[in-house]
Amino acid sequence: MTNVVTFAVWYWEIDGGGPLKRRKDSHESEDFLFPQMTREKSGSGWSPGFVDYLFLAFNQSTAFSPTDTAVLSRKAKVLTMIQASLSLVTIAVLAARAINGF
């Protein structure tokens, strides 16, 4: 859970210039392409909220890849690689501990 929440906050912080830019201007996601952004109603005014980033981080930790959200920027790609690596290492350590514990 710590991994998911931490990376959700990081994704939320970096996307579209961060929270300061999000407060000043209308928020446009520059680092991620969410499915809602590809609808034909381009003027719908939808912008991702924290739950969207939480969902992205959860998918990243469980599937080791983004499932429905495209990662666009280099900084976001690096963060998703780090998150997937941490999740994989955590699972490997837990599995090794379980196997060696018997």
Side-chain angles (χ1 to χ4, degrees):
M1 286 303 298
T2 302
N3 186 10
V4 171
V5 172
T6 300
F7 279 91
V9 170
W10 279 347
Y11 297 150
W12 181 67
E13 287 284 333
I14 69 161
D15 191 30
L20 292 178
K21 186 175 179 185
R22 194 176 301 139
R23 286 185 185 147
K24 291 180 182 177
D25 302 325
S26 62
H27 178 252
E28 291 185 23
S29 180
E30 298 170 357
D31 299 297
F32 302 101
L33 179 64
F34 291 91
Q36 294 88 340
M37 299 165 80
T38 61
R39 291 184 186 161
E40 291 187 28
K41 302 176 194 174
S42 58
S44 67
W46 185 89
S47 66
F50 182 73
V51 173
D52 299 301
Y53 298 107
L54 186 65
F55 183 72
L56 171 65
F58 178 79
N59 283 338
Q60 186 69 26
S61 286
T62 57
F64 308 117
S65 65
T67 54
D68 69 341
T69 303
V71 182
L72 303 176
S73 71
R74 288 184 180 151
K75 61 186 171 186
K77 288 177 182 180
V78 169
L79 273 178
T80 57
M81 287 189 302
I82 292 170
Q83 184 181 10
S85 298
L86 285 173
S87 296
L88 190 58
V89 167
T90 301
I91 289 172
V93 167
L94 290 174
R97 176 85 172 149
I99 291 170
N100 287 331
F102 294 112

